[in-house]
Amino acid sequence: MARAWHLESRPKGMPTTDNFALKPIDLREPGKGELRIANRWLSVDPYMRGRMNDVKSYVPPFELGAPMQGGAIGEVVESNADGFAVGDMVQHMAGWRDEAVVKASDVQKLPPLDVEPQAFLGQLGMPGITGFFGLTAVAEAKEGEVVFVSAAAGAVGSTVVQIAKARGMTVIGSAGGKEKCDWVRSLGADAMIDYKSDTPLIKALMEAAPDGIDVYFDNVGGDHLDAAFACANQGARFAICGMIDKYNVGAPTELRYLPRLIGNRIRVQGFIVSDYLSRAGEFYEEAAKLLQAGKLRREETVVEGLENMPDAFLGLFSGKNRGKMLVKL
Amino acid sequence: MARAWHLESRPKGMPTTDNFALKPIDLREPGKGELRIANRWLSVDPYMRGRMNDVKSYVPPFELGAPMQGGAIGEVVESNADGFAVGDMVQHMAGWRDEAVVKASDVQKLPPLDVEPQAFLGQLGMPGITGFFGLTAVAEAKEGEVVFVSAAAGAVGSTVVQIAKARGMTVIGSAGGKEKCDWVRSLGADAMIDYKSDTPLIKALMEAAPDGIDVYFDNVGGDHLDAAFACANQGARFAICGMIDKYNVGAPTELRYLPRLIGNRIRVQGFIVSDYLSRAGEFYEEAAKLLQAGKLRREETVVEGLENMPDAFLGLFSGKNRGKMLVKL
């Protein structure tokens, strides 16, 4: 019998495994235009924390007592829809479960790139598209500029680092711990800041970027954002993609260097990947070239088994992942 | 003998009159291409606080023990420069003093508008240009949108209110006290928030803007900025012009609603009036029409006498001014 993780209670602050319950779900037969899909890979993403709150946002909140959702890659095991055959690998949003019956119109076949299917949940999916358009369209980062990327060892950040390097920028990243920093350096970052070290972040960034930063790609918020304000050059652009720092904390963001926004004409722009999905082709064109040239590398942190999905999710907030966090079924 | 206010010590936090000293200055005879000017009006502006710190910014810091500077309107009393005659009224940056010898190339004749000369230090000068381009170019405010303006009774804010109304926007302002709120309402504001009242600012803004705000013109920072984040609609633009809230305070800005920046794709842009001075003609064209139609009104808070200049300056931070704060000599 199919099973799905249900939201049992809304977390206050940091979620715990008690907020989730794995329960059987009753799958109907696929109706006309529907597919039955056996999931192979489940996506684990920071934004899911927002959906656990009962707050109107850019994605609707998860319903209490109902199965949760999220990105997933699966195999068609029963097709009642034209154009889909048993064995097709597809991407869809009925994650957090092992099997689903889904409308074919809510399902995408995987793009024809020669990579493992789970890559389409990470670097070659939403996180990659987020990084590409955040850097190039939102922040308008240009060759020769200095780019600071927080959470640079994450799925989004590690893609930003490599695209920025391929486009001729100087890249400074931040990550937690020596191992992650070494890995991002191996991807091409010119300097790395270990935010778990004793050096205050602002001091570390000033040392890593003695001529200041022109672009900040923010996955973190909080003290990273403040350090970016402290070091931003004239006309700097900040692309604000996530604030994982704040997802579990009610405390306000404290910004000491915010007034530099004025004198330095800084532009801060929030964005959501869905605004750029219609232009995803531009990303795949550049990604294909970079992949072929060996300039777009990725890592995955894989947790095995549906029953470990909540642990994988909680691991995002303690920095357990290098690259994309995935659950393999 | 001419006298000028000197910066005696750099204020920590809120300045006091002890930071300033009025001392005689020795004026040389005007050399070739120079003018001697008797000041009639001195500009008093919040941004001057920044120049009292020893920090590199968009204007250089005042030097310790030297005369301070600022906008001024004066009369030419001795000319050694082509194109300037005794009796000409001019604008220049040798304020905080009663008389100055200045290069003619650093002086502007007043634009040919039929208003009192001191207007060119306020609504028809830097503050007006700031308001106009902040609203129209930085925030790209459009007809039908909802605009929130903080410090709406100030020189910048009261101009923003009237230009926004003339362009068909809904305008919500904030000001301290009933009298100021009534005045801004009389300028056309659709709703006013008295930030000195007991109602929390966010609650007051949510009530005043039940459909949210599309544009925020920020003169204040702090809790006003946070309230704007709390109420901002999809695609809202913030023009950040000043943060008077923070000029005297080392404490960080606390933003509780900053994460709304992401989901609502908010754009926050800092700016400086000098970026738009080359386009001042656009402002004067619109201002002349509005003046003629009686749709651009102004008030001035006038303090008499050079010796009261520091008090006038300090008065900015306790909200003593309605419209432009000026010192008359």
Side-chain angles (χ1 to χ4, degrees), chain A residues 80-249:
Chain A
N80 199 354
D82 292 342
F84 288 87
V86 168
D88 282 353
M89 291 296 285
V90 295
Q91 179 164 8
H92 59 97
M93 287 302 290
W96 290 83
R97 70 195 78 185
D98 50 12
E99 229 178 275
V101 170
V102 184
K103 278 189 219 163
S105 57
D106 291 340
V107 159
Q108 295 86 45
K109 291 195 187 180
L110 301 186
L113 283 174
D114 184 25
V115 293
E116 297 164 302
Q118 73 273 23
F120 295 107
L121 292 177
Q123 192 172 61
L124 298 174
M126 296 282 183
I129 297 172
T130 301
F132 180 78
F133 288 102
L135 182 73
T136 62
V138 179
E140 298 179 286
K142 285 175 280 292
E143 188 178 344
E145 290 193 316
V146 179
V147 177
F148 175 42
V149 188
S150 57
V156 175
S158 61
T159 309
V160 173
V161 166
Q162 295 176 85
I163 292 171
K165 284 313 299 175
R167 287 186 168 219
M169 301 162 198
T170 298
V171 178
I172 297 148
S174 79
K178 183 175 181 308
E179 198 195 351
K180 283 186 186 177
C181 287
D182 287 346
W183 177 60
V184 182
R185 237 183 248 110
S186 81
L187 298 177
D190 298 276
M192 282 301 294
I193 295 169
D194 179 356
Y195 68 78
K196 289 185 175 171
S197 83
D198 291 338
T199 313
L201 196 66
I202 288 177
K203 186 162 177 281
L205 184 56
M206 283 182 169
E207 284 168 11
D211 298 322
I213 62 168
D214 304 304
V215 164
Y216 174 44
F217 193 107
D218 190 13
N219 293 302
V220 170
D223 58 351
H224 276 79
L225 181 57
D226 206 23
F229 278 120
C231 297
N233 289 333
Q234 282 289 340
R237 288 90 56 208
F238 292 8
I240 311 290
C241 161
M243 294 196 173
I244 198 168
D245 199 40
K246 287 298 165 229
Y247 292 173
N248 296 311
V249 189

Side-chain angles (χ1 to χ4, degrees), chain B residues 170-240:
Chain B
T170 299
V171 178
I172 297 148
S174 79
K178 184 175 181 308
E179 197 194 353
K180 283 185 185 176
C181 288
D182 287 346
W183 177 60
V184 182
R185 238 182 248 110
S186 81
L187 297 178
D190 298 276
M192 284 300 295
I193 294 169
D194 179 357
Y195 68 79
K196 290 184 174 169
S197 82
D198 292 335
T199 313
L201 197 65
I202 288 177
K203 187 162 177 278
L205 183 56
M206 284 182 169
E207 284 168 11
D211 298 325
I213 63 169
D214 304 303
V215 164
Y216 174 44
F217 193 108
D218 190 13
N219 293 301
V220 169
D223 58 351
H224 276 79
L225 181 57
D226 206 23
F229 278 120
C231 297
N233 289 333
Q234 282 289 339
R237 288 88 58 206
F238 292 8
I240 312 290

Side-chain angles (χ1 to χ4, degrees), chain A residues 250 253 255 265-266 268 270 275, chain B residues 250 253 255-256 265-266 268 270 275:
Chain A
T253 299
L255 298 173
R265 291 88 159 163
I266 300 168
V268 182
D275 299 342
Chain B
T253 299
L255 298 173
R256 209 167 271 281
R265 291 89 158 162
I266 299 169
V268 183
D275 299 340

Side-chain angles (χ1 to χ4, degrees), chain A residues 257-323:
Chain A
Y257 292 91
L258 183 64
R260 295 190 81 249
L261 183 101
I262 301 173
N264 283 13
R265 291 88 159 163
I266 300 168
R267 182 180 79 199
V268 182
Q269 173 80 58
F271 75 104
I272 298 290
V273 62
S274 50
D275 299 342
Y276 293 95
L277 290 184
S278 64
R279 294 172 56 185
E282 297 172 41
F283 164 67
Y284 284 114
E285 199 179 315
E286 186 153 334
K289 282 182 205 151
L290 293 179
L291 279 170
Q292 220 160 15
K295 288 181 175 173
L296 192 56
R297 288 183 289 145
R298 67 177 182 280
E299 291 216 3
E300 284 150 6
T301 302
V302 176
V303 172
E304 304 247 352
L306 180 61
E307 53 284 356
N308 294 316
M309 177 89 187
D311 288 331
F313 173 70
L314 295 176
L316 291 173
F317 301 101
S318 50
K320 291 244 166 69
N321 57 311
R322 205 162 87 177

Side-chain angles (χ1 to χ4, degrees), chain B residues 70-264:
Chain B
I73 302 279
E75 191 179 334
V76 175
V77 290
E78 200 177 336
S79 172
N80 198 354
D82 291 342
F84 287 88
V86 169
D88 280 353
M89 292 297 285
V90 295
Q91 179 164 6
H92 59 98
M93 285 303 292
W96 289 85
R97 70 195 79 186
D98 50 12
E99 230 177 275
V101 170
V102 184
K103 279 189 217 163
S105 57
D106 291 339
V107 158
Q108 296 87 43
K109 291 195 186 178
L110 301 186
L113 283 175
D114 184 25
V115 294
E116 298 165 301
Q118 71 274 22
F120 294 106
L121 292 178
Q123 193 172 61
L124 298 173
M126 296 282 184
I129 297 171
T130 302
F132 179 78
F133 287 102
L135 181 72
T136 62
V138 179
E140 299 181 285
K142 286 176 278 293
E143 188 178 343
E145 289 193 317
V146 178
V147 177
F148 174 42
V149 188
S150 56
V156 174
S158 61
T159 308
V160 173
V161 167
Q162 295 175 85
I163 292 171
K165 283 313 299 177
R167 286 183 169 222
M169 301 161 198
T170 299
V171 178
I172 297 148
S174 79
K178 184 175 181 308
E179 197 194 353
K180 283 185 185 176
C181 288
D182 287 346
W183 177 60
V184 182
R185 238 182 248 110
S186 81
L187 297 178
D190 298 276
M192 284 300 295
I193 294 169
D194 179 357
Y195 68 79
K196 290 184 174 169
S197 82
D198 292 335
T199 313
L201 197 65
I202 288 177
K203 187 162 177 278
L205 183 56
M206 284 182 169
E207 284 168 11
D211 298 325
I213 63 169
D214 304 303
V215 164
Y216 174 44
F217 193 108
D218 190 13
N219 293 301
V220 169
D223 58 351
H224 276 79
L225 181 57
D226 206 23
F229 278 120
C231 297
N233 289 333
Q234 282 289 339
R237 288 88 58 206
F238 292 8
I240 312 290
C241 161
M243 294 195 172
I244 199 167
D245 199 40
K246 288 296 164 229
Y247 292 172
N248 297 310
V249 189
T253 299
E254 295 199 352
L255 298 173
R256 209 167 271 281
Y257 293 91
L258 183 63
R260 294 190 83 247
L261 184 100
I262 301 173
N264 283 13

